[in-house]
Amino acid sequence: MSPLAGTGHLVRLILRRDRLIMPLWIIWLAAMPANFAAAFPGLYPSAADRDTFAQTSNANAALVALYGPVHSADVGGLVAWRISIATVIVALISLLTVIRHTRVEEEAGRRELLGAAPIGRYAGLAAALTVTCAANLLLAGGVAAGLSAQGLPLAGSVALGVQFAAAGWVFAGVGAVAAQLTTGAGAARGIAAATLGGAVLARIAGDLSSHTGGPLGWLSWVTPLGWLSRLRPYADDSWWILGPVVAASAALVGVAVVLTARRDLGAGLLATGTGPAVGGPRLGGPLALAWRLHRGQLAGWTAGLAGTGLVLGGVAGGVGDMFTDNPTLRDLFARLGGDAGLVDLYLAAMLGLLGMGTAGYAISAVLRLRAEETSQRAEPVLATAVSRLRWAASHLAFVGLGPAVVLAGAGLAMGATHAVGGGQGRDVWRVLAGALVQLPAVWLLAAVAFALVGLAPRLTGLAWAVLAVAVSASLFGAILRLPQPLRDLSPFSHLPSVPGGAVSAWPLIWLSLLTAGFAVAGLVGLRRRDLPAG
């Protein structure tokens, strides 16, 4: 039997299971660049306006860190610059998709069931990679078509679409390799996400170092995200950079294939201990079990966002130089509090981004409940004297406290580096407060995810769609001139701007009440429905 036998059947199975989620993220990511292309001419109507904006952005370390340098001051170049952060989103979705259809299938036992049919050894991996890479190609076509329809040059539009797809291909390979290393899907996701986080930090550090004339500019060349930034859509369209990107993708797939041949079905290459025959006192209850299940993910997210906070806080001092050549904006920010007000605005905006990232952690922590259910590990626990509500509450304790730990770590790291880089000692506590004020929005999104687990377990994937809508409304609502009711769909749009802004308790109270309502709905649904629910 061919090792790829049955790949077509598995491709159709994946397409059926992802028939809702996959079109949503493709359409969402394909529509955003076109919307930016429609909005930028209104924001910067003349070439002089766009030149000034590009020069200001390239002179600011914070913006270079977030988006990289602006390579072209025309509309297409500004769209490519502003949307560059979406390559990280594409990479994350791609690696998660591959792991979902490889390691998760093995962990849940469905791959073993399929093994009773004439399915080749590499069919599962091949099907997951085929679907993910094809989805990225569709995304690239959608991006190019949308931008061309806005009147932008075809070559640059195709280059921007390919930039998205190439990011997805590389990190689909990363996900494929990570899926071979561990027996648990959570650990595989952690390894792949940490690799992506390292790639982002390397790109940021490299671009910042190049921007300031430092010695670490070479770091941009060790990460595929740095390579792809040099594709420069609408500037010089450097197609040659796709060569190393495609080679890296092929190499990662090759490594994944080799590793697949060296392990048993359901096993990982990294050794896992069998543990003692009898659980110790630290594993004597559902809360202790939940701690064991969540601690690795919590530590990884805390370390990752704290590292990001270190970088973002370190460049905050340079934000005061922003717009020095633009008297209108300089006067505006002077009325808002001068350079100090501008720095506070920057810190609040960055803390908002960290809050959105933490919402991703909170949702994944909620979905751990569903994973325990579908993998049938919850049944032995619930067969004891542990009630469903107690079992759920043990996991929800980490959904509630985990984001606080993650945001506190990120806030302290950002505040500390800002204080060392020119701020004041009290800024540490101001930034920490700004980080913790993100919690009501994070908890609300986690509560929505938990309501889906309790009431509609087959639709738990929609929790990520809700997060995507919230992030889109917060990040792009203003520039796309979305109606205010659409922007208000994001809980992050109701949070006070801290540090520096006025704080009103009412939005926080309303968000907390909504959180409680969704949490209660989830608990009621979980208590009443069958468990496990397919």
Side-chain angles (χ1 to χ4, degrees):
M1 183 174 64
S2 167
L4 293 176
T7 300
H9 294 288
L10 293 181
V11 166
R12 287 195 290 274
L13 178 61
I14 292 173
L15 291 176
R16 178 175 174 78
R17 295 185 62 198
D18 284 2
R19 63 186 181 279
L20 178 62
I21 294 177
M22 189 169 287
L24 282 177
W25 69 258
I26 291 175
I27 294 171
W28 170 55
L29 287 169
M32 277 201 300
N35 287 329
F36 276 129
F40 262 113
L43 295 172
Y44 305 99
S46 69
D49 293 334
R50 292 191 289 271
D51 281 336
T52 301
F53 178 77
Q55 292 171 12
T56 303
S57 300
N58 283 338
N60 182 266
L63 294 177
V64 171
L66 279 179
Y67 305 111
V70 180
H71 298 297
S72 171
D74 57 20
V75 173
L78 294 182
V79 170
W81 169 78
R82 187 62 178 81
I83 204 68
S84 61
I85 197 169
T87 56
V88 180
I89 300 174
V90 175
L92 181 62
I93 291 174
S94 298
L95 69 88
L96 290 177
T97 301
V98 171
I99 292 174
R100 165 178 156 79
H101 292 292
T102 52
R103 176 50 60 184
V104 172
E105 293 298 286
E106 292 190 37
E107 186 179 18
R110 289 189 288 267
R111 180 66 182 87
E112 186 177 5
L113 183 64
L114 289 171
I119 300 293
R121 184 175 189 83
Y122 304 129
L125 179 62
L129 287 170
T130 299
V131 172
T132 306
C133 292
N136 279 295
L137 268 182
L138 283 176
L139 171 62
V143 169
L147 291 172
S148 297
Q150 294 293 330
L152 297 183
L154 179 61
S157 302
V158 173
L160 185 57
V162 171
Q163 190 179 47
F164 277 34
W169 294 339
V170 172
F171 284 92
V174 171
V177 173
Q180 316 308 316
L181 299 179
T182 66
T183 56
R189 292 192 190 100
I191 291 172
T195 304
L196 175 59
V200 173
L201 286 178
R203 200 280 299 163
I204 290 175
D207 285 351
L208 273 178
S209 186
S210 298
H211 175 75
T212 57
L216 300 178
W218 57 271
L219 280 173
S220 295
W221 288 98
V222 302
T223 163
L225 296 179
W227 305 346
L228 288 171
S229 70
R230 281 153 178 80
L231 183 55
R232 299 175 180 172
Y234 301 106
D236 51 11
D237 298 336
S238 304
W239 294 99
W240 65 269
I241 201 68
L242 291 177
V245 175
V246 172
S249 304
L252 286 166
V253 171
V255 170
V257 170
V258 171
L259 295 182
T260 302
R262 294 175 179 271
R263 67 177 181 86
D264 294 329
L265 184 66
L269 290 174
L270 299 180
T272 54
T274 56
V278 179
R282 290 185 298 176
L283 201 60
L287 186 62
L289 176 60
W291 162 248
R292 191 175 183 85
L293 293 173
H294 285 271
R295 62 184 181 181
Q297 187 180 24
L298 176 59
W301 277 87
T302 303
L305 289 191
T308 305
L310 284 173
V311 175
L312 296 176
V315 302
V319 176
D321 299 331
M322 194 176 183
F323 302 133
T324 53
D325 295 330
N326 189 322
T328 303
L329 290 176
R330 189 175 60 235
D331 292 343
L332 172 62
F333 283 109
R335 289 195 296 272
L336 291 172
D339 288 352
L342 187 56
V343 172
D344 283 347
L345 286 175
Y346 163 79
L347 291 171
M350 296 303 103
L351 289 170
L353 289 178
L354 294 178
M356 294 171 199
T358 305
Y361 158 73
I363 290 174
S364 66
V366 170
L367 297 186
R368 183 78 202 196
L369 267 168
R370 179 63 180 159
E372 289 298 293
E373 179 186 347
T374 56
S375 63
Q376 300 183 343
R377 287 193 294 265
E379 286 185 79
V381 176
L382 296 174
T384 65
V386 177
S387 67
R388 291 189 185 190
L389 295 185
R390 188 182 171 199
W391 169 69
S394 64
H395 286 271
L396 292 181
F398 292 93
V399 176
L401 296 177
V405 172
V406 172
L407 283 170
L412 285 172
M414 181 186 286
T417 53
H418 172 47
V420 171
Q424 301 177 7
R426 67 187 183 90
D427 287 335
V428 176
W429 309 113
R430 296 172 67 237
V431 175
L432 176 61
L436 295 180
V437 86
Q438 308 294 321
L439 279 173
V442 173
W443 284 334
L444 176 56
L445 291 172
V448 171
F450 180 63
L452 287 170
V453 170
L455 298 172
R458 295 182 181 179
L459 301 178
T460 51
L462 288 180
W464 296 110
V466 173
L467 174 62
V469 170
V471 170
S472 299
S474 296
L475 291 183
F476 310 123
I479 196 170
L480 298 179
R481 300 181 179 180
L482 294 178
Q484 191 60 43
L486 288 180
R487 298 189 209 177
D488 289 342
L489 290 176
S490 170
F492 293 100
S493 65
H494 302 282
L495 297 177
S497 179
V498 179
V503 178
S504 171
W506 283 110
L508 305 181
I509 292 173
W510 279 111
L511 290 174
S512 299
L513 289 175
L514 285 172
T515 299
F518 279 111
V520 170
L523 287 170
V524 171
L526 189 68
R527 188 167 180 267
R528 291 184 175 180
R529 70 172 171 84
D530 292 336
L531 195 148

